[in-house]
Amino acid sequence: MSATTPPDGPPAALPVSDVMEASRSMLQMQLYAITTTPTDGLGPVLAHLEAHLAFQVGLEKDGVLFAAGPLWTDDEREWRGEGLVVVRAPSRAAAIAIAERDPMHASGARRFVVRPWMINEGSLSLRLDLSSQRLALA
């Protein structure tokens, strides 16, 4: 591995190629995580919430949205307007362009940060009960 190593300790960073090689047998699905935070309290966020949710549903229908939702406070008792949106995009620049189109960001109600995120591990369960035609995701 060709890591960035400080003189007195373990590596501070690894090149992406090293991480890809170490996880070559895993999924390696490249997505983009968009963290979004209010710029001026909840008022502007609530004013643009309906348009934001419609935008998200459009991304979902287009196959761009992987997952999204609100981020609670650490004690899980409040929502202060923060959210996480994960999108499929060909590049970070394309993910930024998606985030810029979100009415929350276009209006200035929220600011955002886009980070590349590679999914390697995890699981998803889908259950279909044929008799009731009920579908459940776990």
Side-chain angles (χ1 to χ4, degrees), residues 52-133:
H52 162 74
L53 294 175
F55 176 77
Q56 298 288 78
V57 169
L59 292 178
E60 180 182 56
K61 287 180 180 176
D62 292 343
V64 172
L65 185 64
F66 179 80
L71 294 172
W72 310 134
T73 54
D74 291 346
D75 64 6
E76 301 181 47
R77 294 175 184 249
E78 296 179 329
W79 178 61
R80 296 185 181 158
E82 296 175 276
L84 175 65
V85 179
V86 181
V87 297
R88 297 172 182 93
S91 66
R92 183 171 178 271
I96 289 170
I98 292 165
E100 288 173 340
R101 290 196 327 264
D102 184 326
M104 255 332 152
H105 304 136
S107 70
R110 284 183 176 162
R111 68 177 70 75
F112 66 89
V113 174
V114 175
R115 299 285 309 271
W117 179 44
M118 186 175 70
I119 296 178
N120 276 341
E121 310 91 13
S123 67
L124 179 68
S125 298
L126 186 64
R127 178 181 171 143
L128 173 60
D129 292 338
L130 298 176
S131 62
S132 65
Q133 300 175 34

Side-chain angles (χ1 to χ4, degrees), residues 1-13:
M1 287 191 191
S2 54
T4 306
T5 307
D8 60 344

